[in-house]
Amino acid sequence: MRAAPTILHLDMDAFFAAAEQAAKPSLRGKPVVVGGLGPRGVVATASYEARRFGVHSAMPMAQARRLAPNAAYLVPRFGFYRAISEQVMELLGRLSPLVEPLSLDEAFVDLEAGGVADDSASAREAGERLRRDILGTTGLTGSVGLAGSKMLAKIASEEAKPDGLVLIEPGTERELLGPKSVRILPGVGPATGEHLRRAGMTTVSDLAEAGEDELVRLLGRAHGASLYRMAHGYDDRPVVAERDAKSVSVEDTFDVDLHDRVRIRIEVERLAERCVGRLRTSGHSGRTIVLKVRRFDFSTLTRSETLRGPTDDLVVVREAAGRLLEGVDTTGGVRLLGVGVSGLADYTQEDLFAQAAEPSERAVEEVPVVEGAAEPETPAPERRWSPGHDVRHVVYGAGWVQGSGVGRVTVRFEEPGSAPGRVRTFLVDDPELEAGEPLPLVGGGAGTAAVA
């Protein structure tokens, strides 16, 4: 435990939703919900305006729609969020070489290691400067917690939300934590919280008074001892700059259960392609291919195959995933599929002849050609326009999709620094309308974005 509050925890405020509000002037100050929009979708992030209706992350999207029927419902734009996250992480890196990202919008920073703080006054100044820099760079707000430990810094940032800073002075931990719910401590989820409640422990002070032996009896040696230490405000975990990825994976949940075996195979191949894309972006390769299948009855099966050496070859991963699928019974239907690669390495094993044949060596199915026969016409697939995604029109410029259906797409034309724009409707295959790229929230488009 440190004698000065030099561990900083940053948590961006309603990150996905706030980024969408900053990018779309017509949504500022209005309830916005980001997540999967299908019948089985869940909420990724809800704006503070939507939270007033009871909408929160991880809630089924259908329930969110009942609570806030007039909110704007958008699909996530992870590439856009990742670009903003990189800007934020760069600012954190200027404070210290020890930055521990937890997600796109959350990280710990060791201010002492960066030489920017050694007492409460300098730590507060560093935290306030960071908040100003984030706002100026991204147009978004973040909440900052400062304390002598990671646990307390994270608790402080929660207290600071939204758009604030809370500093916990070392020595005041017990007084601060005592009256709070046991759920505030790391590792105390709904099940553990209910177990403790049945034992008569609802606050952190109850845990401290119960004693270590009682908590060990209730929760086991490791968990009980750890919880007792945290109830006294003790947490000596260091800020770790590098976290080695253990695996790379992608998965999709389908609105309707898949029964067609060919369609399931196509989806697995598509997931393999996305997974390899992420693998290459991260600069890794892997030895173990993993297939995840959640069936109609919610039973989840995981199958894996370990290769002779690490690879980032799409053909190898796709064929391994296909072989794994052959051993899974999908008769009743499939609601989720996932493909992953584990056993990561930072090099690729080139000699993989035992894993997959070269394309020229694979059998090619002969298709008989009837002389004089006309080639069958394949209808062009209807373009899909996802709510919230960027578009560009030849005449009207940049905008975003408000909705689509019955062969039409509705677009609102506005940019991050503009006034709320006008809405226009087009045919989904209008040749003058095409997918667009996200515009910068600050310093681009028509001006500087307002604060979300």
Side-chain angles (χ1 to χ4, degrees), residues 309-341:
T311 184
D312 63 357
D313 186 289
L314 171 59
V315 174
V316 174
V317 174
R318 185 170 57 203
E319 291 189 351
R323 288 193 296 272
L324 294 170
L325 178 64
E326 292 172 3
V328 177
D329 180 10
T330 60
T331 306
V334 170
R335 60 183 289 117
L336 176 148
L337 289 168
V339 173
V341 178

Side-chain angles (χ1 to χ4, degrees), residues 404-422:
S404 64
V406 200
R408 288 173 170 77
V409 55
T410 300
V411 177
R412 185 180 288 273
F413 290 97
E414 58 187 5
E415 299 182 14
S418 72
R422 295 187 60 182

Side-chain angles (χ1 to χ4, degrees), residues 139-326:
L140 305 178
T141 64
S143 296
V144 167
L146 293 158
S149 70
K150 291 168 71 172
M151 176 186 74
L152 289 165
K154 185 172 174 62
I155 289 172
S157 69
E158 284 296 320
E159 296 282 321
K161 281 189 167 293
D163 190 20
L165 181 149
V166 168
L167 184 149
I168 298 176
E169 290 284 357
T172 66
E173 296 90 351
R174 292 282 300 275
E175 181 182 355
L176 172 83
L177 290 173
K180 296 189 179 297
S181 167
V182 295
R183 290 290 304 279
I184 202 172
L185 299 179
V188 181
T192 301
E194 177 60 21
H195 190 52
L196 292 170
R197 187 195 65 78
R198 290 197 299 267
M201 304 176 201
T202 59
T203 66
V204 176
S205 61
D206 291 336
L207 300 180
E209 293 168 4
E212 183 174 358
D213 290 344
E214 178 64 10
L215 292 178
V216 167
R217 186 185 67 81
L218 286 171
L219 304 174
R221 168 58 59 186
H223 197 185
S226 172
L227 208 56
Y228 179 74
R229 287 159 60 86
M230 288 190 291
H232 285 80
Y234 189 81
D235 174 25
D236 60 356
R237 293 174 299 162
V239 176
V240 181
E242 295 293 337
R243 285 175 166 240
D244 292 332
K246 296 181 179 179
S247 64
V248 173
S249 63
V250 295
E251 61 182 43
D252 273 347
T253 300
F254 305 101
D255 295 343
V256 178
D257 290 348
L258 303 184
H259 293 83
D260 184 345
R261 188 75 178 184
V262 174
R263 168 74 188 283
I264 294 172
R265 175 65 184 248
I266 290 172
E267 292 296 337
V268 167
E269 292 180 351
R270 185 177 59 82
L271 288 166
E273 184 173 351
R274 286 170 51 196
C275 182
V276 168
R278 290 191 182 182
L279 192 68
R280 290 175 175 172
T281 299
S282 69
H284 289 97
S285 58
R287 295 184 67 235
T288 302
I289 315 303
V290 181
L291 175 71
K292 177 180 178 182
V293 180
R294 181 166 296 151
R295 299 188 291 191
F296 70 100
D297 58 357
F298 287 88
S299 62
T300 302
L301 303 177
T302 303
R303 300 288 185 267
S304 65
E305 176 180 319
T306 299
L307 308 174
R308 292 195 332 172
T311 184
D312 63 357
D313 186 289
L314 171 59
V315 174
V316 174
V317 174
R318 185 170 57 203
E319 291 189 351
R323 288 193 296 272
L324 294 170
L325 178 64
E326 292 172 3

Side-chain angles (χ1 to χ4, degrees), residues 21-66:
Q21 288 176 314
K24 302 171 172 62
S26 59
L27 297 184
R28 292 170 192 160
K30 298 180 180 179
V32 174
V33 181
V34 179
L37 302 188
R40 293 171 177 165
V42 297
V43 175
T45 308
S47 69
Y48 287 99
E49 295 85 356
R51 294 180 192 188
R52 297 191 187 108
F53 294 92
V55 181
H56 58 78
S57 60
M59 171 182 284
M61 192 61 78
Q63 182 181 356
R65 289 185 183 276
R66 290 193 295 270

